[in-house]
Structure formats: structure tokens, C-alpha cells
Amino acid sequence: MNFEKLDNVSEEQLPIAKHKRHGWKHLLGLYAGEHVAATEFVIGATFVALGAKTMDILLGLLIGNILAILSWTLITAPIATQTRLSLYTYLDKIAGKSMTKLYNWANVVIFTVISAAMITVSSTAVRYLFNIPAQLDWYPTNPWFVLVVLAVGIVVVFVAMYGFKAVSEFSGICGPWLFVMFGSGALVMMPALADSVLGTTIVSGFKDFVTIGDQSIWTGINAQGEPGIGLAEVIGFAWAANTITHFGLIDMALLRYAKKPIYGLSTSSGMLFGHFIAWISAGIMGAGTAVLVKKSIIELDPGDVAFQALGLSGFVIVIIAGWTTANANLYRAGLAAQAIFHRYSRKQTTLAVGIVTVVVACFPFVFSKMLPLLTYAGLLVVPVGAIVFAEHMIFPRIGYSRYWVSYQKLTHSTPAVAAWGIGLVFGFGLNALDVISFYYLFLPTWVVTIIVYTLLAKRYGADKAYPKEKAAMEKHNALVDAYHEEQARHSAPAIEDTSLLSMILKIVSWASLAVTLALACVTMFGSPDMASYLDNRDTFYHYGFICTLVYFVAAYWVLRRKKAHEPLVAKAIEFPRQKPKLMSFVVRKVGARLATEWWSDVSFFARTNKV
């Protein structure tokens, strides 16, 4: 079979091959790493400032995050696993290039703002080291803070341009550490809060926790001294915070790799552990810091909170979480910009977008207003998700043709552009009229866009049959399947690094996390008075930072060894076919596994020491 035409097609334009799909473990780790970020400090503290109540936070975040998980599982994952395409590629097939270009512009704006917020958050940790005042206005009030932002931003931009792969691999090992640090920070701060509310550093049960929460953390009174948000608003934000990725279908790019639609439940690692636990922990850390430094929580930034809760490890968590998240989003912004400006390379467009991002990052409002920014960003792209949902899920059920735009060879889809525009006017109009809470605006906007697009598409020919064009597309899809099968036959199977040294390093890395959590537990449960609490907290600061260093050294070493093993193991697989007699001798006399490990270790140390 002739595959020359497909050889010249970008892999991004083709469905994901069967042999490249992933299972639970990969997706759980992916969502765990992506959804524990520096913004959790900001969002957790914001719920405190908005005046939520303790039980509203506990129930609301649980319900809202479960709804988000179900949105990924029931909306995004089925479309992603049936098409095996990213949203960008699928949108080009159903809405034409003009709609795709508009959508890319929207992504440039959204990901630029999110990246800027991450750079600003990372800069709050650096500014704390240099004793630069906290930036509480929407504009910068200290020139040294601007210089810090520029310095941090330059690093982020150049890494996004040249070293994003290395950073994405490194960020993958940060997930377990981030979970432990957020949980540990809450444990370390609880005795200080208990002492301020109960007059004792000991929390004897859940009832004490609720009492502390109601009186010192989630009091039900906002920063202006008025009644705060309720259960419905908390549920709404937890659900709406990621509408850009589930209702907006951005995560088709990730879930197209899932073996089955049910793997959308893997998002629970990010929602239940990342958002639910991290947001609650961040609120506790923020309130505890406010008690210790005798300031209002609205006067604190992530650098203040992280240092008081975690010591030097707090600087690491704010810098790394902000840095890795900023790089990922700036990379996305650069890709979207490159899709618009085809004449320029991704590096050039990333540089241009990065310059704008760094300038925006100098203005602290981008992180202090994260809740509304995330909600409005989701509202901006939800109509696009609605258009795709209507085309893929509804059209076949009502006798309309999927891909009718491609069948007609159109480059512009009036129904898609008009439906998006009408959806935005409707959604932001509801917000201006204050008809419903802006956390829930995405729901009626999504429904209205589906209805409008379906009605308009019928007028432009979506209700017609295209038998010849459909047969040609099915023939092309069969060719792609055969092409992928041919690729699978020539691809090396995935190999796990099971060497003894790597196993020891993994044990060391996990043990360092266990020690960190144990130290935090001792600080909370082994502090009968403030004097012992302060001693235990200092012990946690000191040894917790050592454990942080040990974890990253060991985890990164494992990553390097795995990368060193892959090419050598691949060669070992081919070796028996090329030299069967010689390989038989090696197997008998030395042992295949011992030989492979020995050569892997030689290669690893040679590369590490640049031999």
C-alpha cells in the first residue's frame, strides 16, 4: 500500500494511532501534574477573601469538582476518543480555516494571560527573598518588582522557546511533591490557627476543625465585611474553573490518547487531589499566615503564604509550580500564534507572545483576579465546544451530516462564526444584566450556541447527504488505519527501567516525601503548646527542605536513567534479529538483562559526565 501522501502530512493532522494510546497511569499522572499549580495559592486565599463558609467550601468544592470530572468523562472524552483528533484539527474539518483562525486568536489571548499570571506568582517568591513589598494594587508600585518579573519572565520565555520538552518532563515528577507540600503546609498551619481560636494548639476532631474554619478561615464574611458567597457559588466556580478544557473541549488534545472514554475519570487526580485538597490547604495556609504575621489575608501574596507555611520549600513550590505552568501555557500560546502567522516559526511567535506576556505579568491584577479571569476565559471558548458537540454528537442523531463543511470544500463556515458570536453576546449579556451568577454563565451559553448552530447549519446544507464525499473520507480513514498499523509493526515496544539503581532511587524519592509528611504530622499532632509548635515547625522547615532537595535529585536521576535506557534497550531488541548466533552466546554466558543494564549504566554516566 502506498503511504507517500501520508508521510508528508503532519502527525498532528492525523488521528492518534492505536499503538500510541495510553492507560490510566499516564493520564492520572498528567492531570495530577497539570492541575496543581501556583494559582492554587491564589484561588484558595480568594475563597477566604470572598467570605465562603467552612461547610460550603467542603461540600461545594467536592460537588463542583465531581461535576467537572463528569464533564470531561461524558463530553470531552467521548468526542476525543472517537475522533482521535485535537480540537484545533477537528475544528478545521467542521468549521473551516476562518473559524479556526479566530479561535487561535482567542487562545493566544487566554494562554498569554494565564502565563502572565504564573510569572507574577513565581515573582512573588523571588521578591520575598529581596524584601520587596507585596504588590497589592492592579499596577506595580515598586521598580524592583518589575525587574524581578522581567528576570523570571525572560527565563520562562526562552525555556518555552527552546527547552519545553525538558521542562514538561521535569514537571511530570513535580506532581507527588506538590501534593505532599500543599497537604503539609495545611498541617503545619493548623496549630497556629487552633491557638488563635480555641486557645490551644491541639485540634481534637472534625468539630474543632469546623469551629476553626468558621471563626478564622472561611468565616462567611468577605473582605468588605459583608456576607460572602454561598454553596451555589462555590460549586459553580469549582465546575466553571476548567470549562475551557471540558465544555470548551481544549482537552481533546490530551484525551485523544486515552484508550477508552471512561479514562476521562483520570481527571479526578487533578480535581479531587489538586483542586479540592489544594484549594482547602491554600485557604488554611493563607489564614494561618495572616494570624502569624498579623495581617489581613488580602494583604498577602503567594510568596508570604508559602514561606510561612513551608519555609524555604515554600519558595521552591511557588517558583516551580508557577514556572512549569507558565511554560506549558506560553508554549500553547506560541503554537496558536504560529497557526495564525504561518510565515514565522514557532520559536519566533513564542518570542513575540512571550514579550507581551512578560509586560502583562508586571501588573499584579492578572493573578489577584484569577477567579473571574478563568471564568471569563471559559465563557469565551465554551461556544466553540458547543459547536463541536452539536456537530459530533447531535447531528448524526437528527439526520444531519458531520463534516458537511469539508464535504462542500468551504473555507468559511457562516453558521459556526455566527453561532460563536451569538453565544458570546448572549453569555456576556446575561452577565451584564446580572440574571444569574457569572460562575454558571457557561451553561445557558453552551445550550443557546448548540441551538443556534444547529438551526443555521441546516440552512447552509448540513441536513443534506453527501454519499460520494463520505465514501472518500471513509476510504481515507481506512488508509490512515493501515498506515498506523504499518508504523506499529516497526515501532519498538515501551520498555520499563527495572534496574536496581533506579528502584533504589525511586524508593529514596518516595521515602523523602513520606518523611516530609511525617514531619508535618508531628508539627500538628505533637505540639501541645506554642513553644513546642514553634520548635516542631522549625524542624519541619529545616528537614523538609532537605527532603525536597533529596526528592528532586533522586526523581530527576530516575528520569535521566530512563531516558538513557530507552535507546539502548531498543537496540537490544533489534540485536537478536541481526546477530542471532552471537546473541544466543551472550544470553547463555552473561544474561540478556545484565548486559542491557551494564551498557545502559555506562551510557548514562558517560552522558552525565560528558565523556
Side-chain angles (χ1 to χ4, degrees), residues 134-158:
Q135 302 297 292
L136 304 175
D137 294 315
W138 67 268
Y139 55 89
T141 57
N142 188 290
W144 292 106
F145 177 78
V146 174
L147 291 177
V148 168
V149 172
L150 293 176
V152 174
I154 288 171
V155 173
V156 169
V157 171
F158 277 93

mmCIF file of all heavy atoms in Angstrom, residues 134-158:
data_model
loop_
_atom_site.group_PDB
_atom_site.id
_atom_site.type_symbol
_atom_site.label_atom_id
_atom_site.label_comp_id
_atom_site.label_asym_id
_atom_site.label_seq_id
_atom_site.Cartn_x
_atom_site.Cartn_y
_atom_site.Cartn_z
ATOM 1 N N ALA A 134 4.998 43.595 49.113
ATOM 2 C CA ALA A 134 3.952 42.891 48.366
ATOM 3 C C ALA A 134 3.226 43.867 47.443
ATOM 4 O O ALA A 134 3.005 45.030 47.791
ATOM 5 C CB ALA A 134 2.966 42.249 49.339
ATOM 6 N N GLN A 135 2.866 43.368 46.253
ATOM 7 C CA GLN A 135 2.192 44.207 45.260
ATOM 8 C C GLN A 135 0.684 43.942 45.338
ATOM 9 O O GLN A 135 0.196 42.912 44.889
ATOM 10 C CB GLN A 135 2.730 43.882 43.864
ATOM 11 C CG GLN A 135 4.233 44.075 43.723
ATOM 12 C CD GLN A 135 4.645 45.510 43.938
ATOM 13 O OE1 GLN A 135 4.333 46.398 43.131
ATOM 14 N NE2 GLN A 135 5.367 45.766 45.025
ATOM 15 N N LEU A 136 -0.037 44.879 45.933
ATOM 16 C CA LEU A 136 -1.453 44.682 46.214
ATOM 17 C C LEU A 136 -2.375 45.473 45.297
ATOM 18 O O LEU A 136 -3.583 45.259 45.288
ATOM 19 C CB LEU A 136 -1.758 45.055 47.678
ATOM 20 C CG LEU A 136 -0.905 44.300 48.721
ATOM 21 C CD1 LEU A 136 -1.209 44.828 50.111
ATOM 22 C CD2 LEU A 136 -1.167 42.805 48.651
ATOM 23 N N ASP A 137 -1.810 46.415 44.512
ATOM 24 C CA ASP A 137 -2.611 47.178 43.560
ATOM 25 C C ASP A 137 -2.643 46.446 42.213
ATOM 26 O O ASP A 137 -1.913 45.483 41.992
ATOM 27 C CB ASP A 137 -2.036 48.586 43.383
ATOM 28 C CG ASP A 137 -2.151 49.409 44.665
ATOM 29 O OD1 ASP A 137 -3.237 49.378 45.276
ATOM 30 O OD2 ASP A 137 -1.156 50.041 45.057
ATOM 31 N N TRP A 138 -3.451 46.956 41.291
ATOM 32 C CA TRP A 138 -3.530 46.306 39.986
ATOM 33 C C TRP A 138 -2.309 46.634 39.133
ATOM 34 O O TRP A 138 -2.016 45.952 38.157
ATOM 35 C CB TRP A 138 -4.810 46.722 39.250
ATOM 36 C CG TRP A 138 -4.850 48.181 38.838
ATOM 37 C CD1 TRP A 138 -5.361 49.212 39.555
ATOM 38 C CD2 TRP A 138 -4.353 48.743 37.611
ATOM 39 N NE1 TRP A 138 -5.210 50.400 38.868
ATOM 40 C CE2 TRP A 138 -4.602 50.135 37.664
ATOM 41 C CE3 TRP A 138 -3.735 48.222 36.478
ATOM 42 C CZ2 TRP A 138 -4.251 51.002 36.627
ATOM 43 C CZ3 TRP A 138 -3.380 49.080 35.437
ATOM 44 C CH2 TRP A 138 -3.642 50.453 35.523
ATOM 45 N N TYR A 139 -1.565 47.655 39.532
ATOM 46 C CA TYR A 139 -0.353 48.059 38.809
ATOM 47 C C TYR A 139 0.858 47.898 39.738
ATOM 48 O O TYR A 139 0.725 47.878 40.963
ATOM 49 C CB TYR A 139 -0.468 49.522 38.362
ATOM 50 C CG TYR A 139 -0.754 50.481 39.495
ATOM 51 C CD1 TYR A 139 0.279 51.076 40.235
ATOM 52 C CD2 TYR A 139 -2.069 50.791 39.849
ATOM 53 C CE1 TYR A 139 0.007 51.934 41.290
ATOM 54 C CE2 TYR A 139 -2.350 51.646 40.905
ATOM 55 C CZ TYR A 139 -1.308 52.217 41.613
ATOM 56 O OH TYR A 139 -1.580 53.057 42.663
ATOM 57 N N PRO A 140 2.082 47.778 39.190
ATOM 58 C CA PRO A 140 3.271 47.621 40.043
ATOM 59 C C PRO A 140 3.602 48.919 40.768
ATOM 60 O O PRO A 140 3.520 50.004 40.184
ATOM 61 C CB PRO A 140 4.373 47.235 39.045
ATOM 62 C CG PRO A 140 3.917 47.800 37.739
ATOM 63 C CD PRO A 140 2.416 47.713 37.750
ATOM 64 N N THR A 141 3.969 48.817 42.038
ATOM 65 C CA THR A 141 4.298 50.006 42.833
ATOM 66 C C THR A 141 5.766 50.046 43.229
ATOM 67 O O THR A 141 6.169 50.939 43.968
ATOM 68 C CB THR A 141 3.440 50.033 44.117
ATOM 69 O OG1 THR A 141 3.661 48.823 44.866
ATOM 70 C CG2 THR A 141 1.965 50.161 43.777
ATOM 71 N N ASN A 142 6.542 49.100 42.761
ATOM 72 C CA ASN A 142 7.964 49.052 43.101
ATOM 73 C C ASN A 142 8.764 48.660 41.862
ATOM 74 O O ASN A 142 8.501 47.620 41.251
ATOM 75 C CB ASN A 142 8.197 48.031 44.223
ATOM 76 C CG ASN A 142 9.624 48.091 44.756
ATOM 77 O OD1 ASN A 142 10.558 47.705 44.071
ATOM 78 N ND2 ASN A 142 9.784 48.562 45.992
ATOM 79 N N PRO A 143 9.749 49.490 41.458
ATOM 80 C CA PRO A 143 10.520 49.179 40.241
ATOM 81 C C PRO A 143 11.315 47.886 40.357
ATOM 82 O O PRO A 143 11.558 47.211 39.345
ATOM 83 C CB PRO A 143 11.446 50.391 40.097
ATOM 84 C CG PRO A 143 11.511 51.010 41.461
ATOM 85 C CD PRO A 143 10.189 50.754 42.072
ATOM 86 N N TRP A 144 11.721 47.525 41.581
ATOM 87 C CA TRP A 144 12.469 46.278 41.749
ATOM 88 C C TRP A 144 11.594 45.059 41.467
ATOM 89 O O TRP A 144 12.084 44.033 40.972
ATOM 90 C CB TRP A 144 13.071 46.196 43.157
ATOM 91 C CG TRP A 144 14.156 47.199 43.380
ATOM 92 C CD1 TRP A 144 14.089 48.338 44.128
ATOM 93 C CD2 TRP A 144 15.466 47.168 42.816
ATOM 94 N NE1 TRP A 144 15.271 49.020 44.080
ATOM 95 C CE2 TRP A 144 16.153 48.316 43.273
ATOM 96 C CE3 TRP A 144 16.147 46.288 41.970
ATOM 97 C CZ2 TRP A 144 17.465 48.614 42.921
ATOM 98 C CZ3 TRP A 144 17.453 46.573 41.608
ATOM 99 C CH2 TRP A 144 18.096 47.717 42.082
ATOM 100 N N PHE A 145 10.299 45.167 41.777
ATOM 101 C CA PHE A 145 9.391 44.072 41.460
ATOM 102 C C PHE A 145 9.294 43.883 39.947
ATOM 103 O O PHE A 145 9.268 42.756 39.447
ATOM 104 C CB PHE A 145 7.998 44.337 42.042
ATOM 105 C CG PHE A 145 6.992 43.276 41.684
ATOM 106 C CD1 PHE A 145 6.985 42.059 42.350
ATOM 107 C CD2 PHE A 145 6.043 43.503 40.689
ATOM 108 C CE1 PHE A 145 6.055 41.075 42.012
ATOM 109 C CE2 PHE A 145 5.125 42.527 40.354
ATOM 110 C CZ PHE A 145 5.123 41.315 41.019
ATOM 111 N N VAL A 146 9.266 44.982 39.226
ATOM 112 C CA VAL A 146 9.234 44.910 37.755
ATOM 113 C C VAL A 146 10.480 44.210 37.234
ATOM 114 O O VAL A 146 10.402 43.358 36.330
ATOM 115 C CB VAL A 146 9.103 46.320 37.143
ATOM 116 C CG1 VAL A 146 9.211 46.257 35.618
ATOM 117 C CG2 VAL A 146 7.785 46.967 37.561
ATOM 118 N N LEU A 147 11.632 44.516 37.812
ATOM 119 C CA LEU A 147 12.873 43.864 37.391
ATOM 120 C C LEU A 147 12.847 42.368 37.686
ATOM 121 O O LEU A 147 13.330 41.555 36.887
ATOM 122 C CB LEU A 147 14.073 44.516 38.089
ATOM 123 C CG LEU A 147 14.410 45.949 37.651
ATOM 124 C CD1 LEU A 147 15.578 46.491 38.480
ATOM 125 C CD2 LEU A 147 14.751 45.982 36.160
ATOM 126 N N VAL A 148 12.264 42.002 38.846
ATOM 127 C CA VAL A 148 12.139 40.581 39.194
ATOM 128 C C VAL A 148 11.245 39.871 38.171
ATOM 129 O O VAL A 148 11.575 38.785 37.685
ATOM 130 C CB VAL A 148 11.568 40.415 40.612
ATOM 131 C CG1 VAL A 148 11.148 38.963 40.862
ATOM 132 C CG2 VAL A 148 12.597 40.842 41.645
ATOM 133 N N VAL A 149 10.110 40.497 37.829
ATOM 134 C CA VAL A 149 9.201 39.910 36.841
ATOM 135 C C VAL A 149 9.904 39.741 35.498
ATOM 136 O O VAL A 149 9.773 38.697 34.834
ATOM 137 C CB VAL A 149 7.937 40.773 36.678
ATOM 138 C CG1 VAL A 149 7.094 40.270 35.505
ATOM 139 C CG2 VAL A 149 7.107 40.762 37.947
ATOM 140 N N LEU A 150 10.658 40.749 35.094
ATOM 141 C CA LEU A 150 11.377 40.675 33.820
ATOM 142 C C LEU A 150 12.392 39.534 33.832
ATOM 143 O O LEU A 150 12.519 38.782 32.857
ATOM 144 C CB LEU A 150 12.081 42.002 33.523
ATOM 145 C CG LEU A 150 11.165 43.206 33.248
ATOM 146 C CD1 LEU A 150 11.993 44.470 33.061
ATOM 147 C CD2 LEU A 150 10.321 42.953 32.006
ATOM 148 N N ALA A 151 13.093 39.387 34.959
ATOM 149 C CA ALA A 151 14.100 38.321 35.064
ATOM 150 C C ALA A 151 13.450 36.940 35.006
ATOM 151 O O ALA A 151 13.888 36.057 34.252
ATOM 152 C CB ALA A 151 14.900 38.475 36.359
ATOM 153 N N VAL A 152 12.382 36.751 35.797
ATOM 154 C CA VAL A 152 11.681 35.466 35.796
ATOM 155 C C VAL A 152 11.041 35.213 34.434
ATOM 156 O O VAL A 152 11.098 34.105 33.892
ATOM 157 C CB VAL A 152 10.610 35.432 36.907
ATOM 158 C CG1 VAL A 152 9.767 34.159 36.812
ATOM 159 C CG2 VAL A 152 11.267 35.534 38.279
ATOM 160 N N GLY A 153 10.440 36.254 33.873
ATOM 161 C CA GLY A 153 9.759 36.119 32.588
ATOM 162 C C GLY A 153 10.688 35.763 31.451
ATOM 163 O O GLY A 153 10.346 34.956 30.573
ATOM 164 N N ILE A 154 11.881 36.335 31.440
ATOM 165 C CA ILE A 154 12.854 36.024 30.383
ATOM 166 C C ILE A 154 13.216 34.544 30.402
ATOM 167 O O ILE A 154 13.306 33.892 29.355
ATOM 168 C CB ILE A 154 14.115 36.905 30.544
ATOM 169 C CG1 ILE A 154 13.786 38.347 30.146
ATOM 170 C CG2 ILE A 154 15.277 36.372 29.694
ATOM 171 C CD1 ILE A 154 14.888 39.333 30.480
ATOM 172 N N VAL A 155 13.418 34.011 31.610
ATOM 173 C CA VAL A 155 13.729 32.576 31.736
ATOM 174 C C VAL A 155 12.577 31.742 31.177
ATOM 175 O O VAL A 155 12.787 30.800 30.396
ATOM 176 C CB VAL A 155 13.993 32.203 33.204
ATOM 177 C CG1 VAL A 155 14.146 30.694 33.350
ATOM 178 C CG2 VAL A 155 15.239 32.903 33.718
ATOM 179 N N VAL A 156 11.351 32.083 31.550
ATOM 180 C CA VAL A 156 10.183 31.336 31.094
ATOM 181 C C VAL A 156 10.066 31.372 29.576
ATOM 182 O O VAL A 156 9.826 30.344 28.927
ATOM 183 C CB VAL A 156 8.900 31.897 31.742
ATOM 184 C CG1 VAL A 156 7.653 31.305 31.082
ATOM 185 C CG2 VAL A 156 8.886 31.606 33.231
ATOM 186 N N VAL A 157 10.251 32.554 28.990
ATOM 187 C CA VAL A 157 10.104 32.706 27.541
ATOM 188 C C VAL A 157 11.137 31.872 26.794
ATOM 189 O O VAL A 157 10.808 31.139 25.844
ATOM 190 C CB VAL A 157 10.212 34.188 27.140
ATOM 191 C CG1 VAL A 157 10.281 34.324 25.618
ATOM 192 C CG2 VAL A 157 9.027 34.976 27.690
ATOM 193 N N PHE A 158 12.382 31.937 27.222
ATOM 194 C CA PHE A 158 13.426 31.205 26.498
ATOM 195 C C PHE A 158 13.304 29.695 26.682
ATOM 196 O O PHE A 158 13.611 28.934 25.769
ATOM 197 C CB PHE A 158 14.806 31.696 26.923
ATOM 198 C CG PHE A 158 15.239 32.933 26.190
ATOM 199 C CD1 PHE A 158 14.998 34.190 26.719
ATOM 200 C CD2 PHE A 158 15.843 32.854 24.946
ATOM 201 C CE1 PHE A 158 15.359 35.334 26.038
ATOM 202 C CE2 PHE A 158 16.216 33.990 24.245
ATOM 203 C CZ PHE A 158 15.985 35.239 24.786
#
